[in-house]
Amino acid sequence: MKIAFASSSGEFIDQHFGWSKLFYLYSVSKNSAEFLKVIDSSMEPEGEKEKLNYKIDTIKEADIMYCTQIGPTASKMIQSSGVYPVRAAEGEKIADAILKLQDMLKDAPAPWLLRIYHKSEKRSA
């Protein structure tokens, strides 16, 4: 699965989805995690809808996006684009979030996570 983290540093999840200028993209499986790239989302289009569409477009290759906050409209828009938003605690380490996700995959994944995992497996096959 590809996971985008809204972060100002690449170490902590510390950004609101709509305000994040950077997303750190990782490929995560049950047993491994690989940093792929930094996604620049620093443009500031006029209008709230345009801004949200731009942000969503920058992370469209992700299956899941972690952030500290996301508004209800943005949450609906991002989900309809095929990316699942997850709210993390302010300042949670990206490495810890990855470990928790991997533990969930190994143990008893929630139905939403299983759907995303199987979708990403089919896409990479």
Side-chain angles (χ1 to χ4, degrees):
M1 300 179 299
K2 290 185 180 174
I3 317 295
F5 295 94
S7 175
S8 60
S9 65
E11 186 175 355
F12 301 99
I13 304 164
D14 60 3
Q15 294 292 302
H16 182 289
F17 169 71
W19 302 338
S20 186
K21 306 247 185 260
L22 301 170
F23 291 91
Y24 290 77
L25 189 67
Y26 285 77
S27 176
V28 177
S29 69
K30 289 180 183 180
N31 301 307
S32 67
E34 176 187 1
F35 172 72
L36 299 174
K37 65 181 177 180
V38 177
I39 299 169
D40 179 356
S41 65
S42 60
M43 281 181 40
E44 296 287 338
E46 291 293 321
E48 194 63 26
K49 189 172 182 182
E50 291 79 7
K51 179 181 174 184
L52 289 174
N53 283 329
Y54 164 72
K55 292 284 182 187
I56 292 166
D57 191 52
T58 63
I59 61 162
K60 66 184 173 212
E61 64 190 290
D63 298 298
I64 300 172
M65 183 277 309
Y66 279 74
C67 62
T68 57
Q69 293 183 30
I70 185 168
T73 301
S75 182
K76 288 176 188 168
M77 288 174 69
I78 197 169
Q79 286 181 59
S80 68
S81 77
V83 179
Y84 190 86
V86 175
R87 285 185 60 185
E90 177 79 34
E92 180 176 357
K93 284 188 169 188
I94 290 173
D96 292 344
I98 290 171
L99 287 174
K100 285 181 195 172
L101 191 60
Q102 288 173 321
D103 286 345
M104 285 179 13
L105 283 169
K106 291 175 191 172
D107 197 21
W112 67 266
L113 184 56
L114 267 179
R115 271 193 311 276
I116 294 167
Y117 183 74
H118 291 306
K119 181 181 97 176
S120 70
E121 289 292 301
K122 287 178 187 173
R123 190 178 58 234
S124 61

